[in-house]
Amino acid sequence: MAKKDRMSGNEAVATALRQINPDVMGAFPITPSTEIPEYFSQFMADGEVDTEFVAVESEHSAMSVCIGASAAGARAVTATSSCGLAYMWELLYVAASSRLPICMAVVNRALTGPININNDHSDSMGARDSGWIQIYAETNQEVYDNMIQAIPIAEATRLPIMVCQDGFITSHGVSNIELLEDEEVREFVGEYNPENYLLKEENPLAVGPYGISPYYMEVKRAQAQAMKDSMPIIIQTARKFEDLTGRKYRFFEEYMMDDAEVAVVVIGSSAGTGKDAVDRLRAEGKKVGLIKLRVFRPFPRVPLAMAMCKVKAVAIMDKAEGFSNSGGPLFNEARNSLYDLPGRPYAINYIYGLGGRDITVENYYEIFNDLFIIVDTYDPGDVYRYVGVRDSRYDEGGFDHRTYDDVYR
């Protein structure tokens, strides 16, 4: 039977981990994820888990502990944020290439510089190509549910997984959620019984050997295939979780998309504000919709493209700057997925919310208004835009829409 409670996203993660009862946790404190190992260490002190908690001297060491434990056959978890995740950089690749199903809670926070402790997605987006599955949450309930689903996903795919939530917005904000009984969670995640591991005497193996040229590329190809193969496993796990809880999860959520003419694609807690804007605009007779992406790795290229093709213009919103001169990371992948499709919509990128800058209903109104203008004029203008930023290069009418001819000829 579900239990109702009020808790922050960090406490929800720690509670899910308590119910999972992992074998090893290696952790180092960093804002805003520090509460996760704090809560969990209290559970350990109270005898509520059997976990070996390893307090280390850095995030690099935290991931090293998880790699060693996972290679030895243990279920290993950790939590981090921002520059802590960056400090793990080398070992993210080691964990993924060694096919170790480590589960990591990432509380998204801006990367320095200038130093900033507030939310954006620059940390996990920077790690997007390290070989980890990435799942994002809008609400505290989703944080809890995603953490429970992450364990069987990682262990079935033999890939590490990041469960991401927005720093301070969900990590420290308290809301009502429904918890599963401990026994239900333990049954859902099951026992971890890897086929091969370092301490299996009858089948000795090496983990992380030198990959010489005749073999290295095959390792990368196998990783890439595992990421592709994780897609049905993610859906199967979500359906099993829906049977248990009634809460439905897929690669993304479509909100008011059935008859929408324009839409936004967004990740994380900003979707809540976007839904509010959609509701208000719908009340005004405007056919607008929203797609909230939950799974960024593996990127759900085909289903997301099909969903975006329901509308005439779509704003793809990035809470991270890619410094690519062609838009943010979500935009580049989502827009690329539309390339081969007939009847594809205009696709516009909006960078927003960097360093914790608020995204408001009024900002969404501005974006939806831009999309309707694009549909009416058949002119997307500059597809790489910012919203909610002070910038003297732009006039009061909005973004600088100078063409290639204006600038380069």
Side-chain angles (χ1 to χ4, degrees), residues 60-124:
H60 189 281
S61 300
M63 185 50 61
S64 296
V65 164
C66 290
I67 287 172
S70 186
R75 182 176 273 166
V77 300
T78 188
T80 195
S81 297
S82 185
C83 47
L85 181 62
Y87 200 17
M88 294 177 178
W89 223 256
E90 172 193 12
L91 295 173
L92 296 179
Y93 289 83
V94 174
S97 63
S98 299
R99 304 293 299 277
L100 300 174
I102 298 163
C103 185
M104 175 163 58
V106 175
V107 183
N108 289 119
R109 167 189 151 189
L111 287 170
T112 304
I115 191 168
N116 183 291
I117 66 166
N118 298 309
N119 169 249
D120 66 29
H121 297 155
S122 56
D123 49 3
S124 58

Side-chain angles (χ1 to χ4, degrees), residues 40 48 72 74 84 126 159 165 170 196 242 279 309 321 360 377 392:
F40 193 79
E48 298 183 53
L159 289 173
Q165 65 168 313
T170 58
N196 295 302
E242 184 179 3
D279 290 343
C309 280
E321 175 57 89
T360 66
T377 62
S392 61

Side-chain angles (χ1 to χ4, degrees), residues 43 109 166 196 298 311 401:
F43 296 144
R109 167 189 151 189
D166 286 351
N196 295 302
V311 299
H401 292 298

Side-chain angles (χ1 to χ4, degrees), residues 158-175:
R158 294 210 60 83
L159 289 173
I161 186 167
M162 297 181 194
V163 178
C164 304
Q165 65 168 313
D166 286 351
F168 294 107
I169 300 170
T170 58
S171 68
H172 287 64
V174 175
S175 68

Side-chain angles (χ1 to χ4, degrees), residues 63-265:
M63 185 50 61
S64 296
V65 164
C66 290
I67 287 172
S70 186
R75 182 176 273 166
V77 300
T78 188
T80 195
S81 297
S82 185
C83 47
L85 181 62
Y87 200 17
M88 294 177 178
W89 223 256
E90 172 193 12
L91 295 173
L92 296 179
Y93 289 83
V94 174
S97 63
S98 299
R99 304 293 299 277
L100 300 174
I102 298 163
C103 185
M104 175 163 58
V106 175
V107 183
N108 289 119
R109 167 189 151 189
L111 287 170
T112 304
I115 191 168
N116 183 291
I117 66 166
N118 298 309
N119 169 249
D120 66 29
H121 297 155
S122 56
D123 49 3
S124 58
M125 283 295 170
R128 65 188 178 275
D129 296 332
S130 60
W132 286 61
I133 294 171
Q134 290 188 347
I135 298 180
Y136 290 79
E138 175 191 347
T139 65
N140 298 15
Q141 183 71 64
E142 291 182 13
V143 171
Y144 172 80
D145 294 348
N146 285 342
M147 183 59 63
I148 293 170
Q149 293 177 66
I151 296 292
I153 291 170
E155 292 172 359
T157 60
R158 294 210 60 83
L159 289 173
I161 186 167
M162 297 181 194
V163 178
C164 304
Q165 65 168 313
D166 286 351
F168 294 107
I169 300 170
T170 58
S171 68
H172 287 64
V174 175
S175 68
N176 296 325
I177 69 171
E178 286 190 357
L179 302 174
L180 293 168
E181 297 287 351
D182 294 356
E183 295 76 14
E184 292 177 312
V185 174
R186 301 275 169 86
E187 182 179 354
F188 185 85
V189 302
E191 293 290 332
Y192 180 44
N193 296 304
E195 182 179 359
N196 295 302
Y197 51 94
L198 284 175
L199 299 183
K200 188 176 181 180
E201 294 181 358
E202 61 271 30
N203 184 29
L205 77 159
V207 175
Y210 176 52
I212 59 177
S213 298
Y215 299 103
Y216 181 89
M217 194 165 177
E218 282 71 23
V219 172
K220 296 295 114 177
R221 177 66 180 86
Q223 278 184 259
Q225 188 62 48
M227 190 64 76
K228 290 181 181 179
D229 293 344
S230 72
M231 295 187 69
I233 292 171
I234 291 169
I235 295 301
Q236 291 162 13
T237 304
R239 286 178 175 151
K240 182 181 176 183
F241 192 81
E242 184 179 3
D243 291 340
L244 178 63
T245 66
R247 295 191 287 274
K248 181 177 179 179
Y249 291 94
R250 297 295 185 264
F251 295 122
F252 52 84
E253 174 192 344
E254 295 185 50
Y255 189 75
M256 299 289 186
M257 285 294 294
D258 288 345
D259 64 342
E261 296 177 354
V262 299
V264 297
V265 179

Side-chain angles (χ1 to χ4, degrees), residues 335-352:
R335 194 179 192 223
N336 175 65
S337 71
L338 295 168
Y339 181 79
D340 294 317
L341 298 181
R344 58 185 178 271
Y346 293 108
I348 314 298
N349 189 208
Y350 285 88
I351 307 293
Y352 79 100

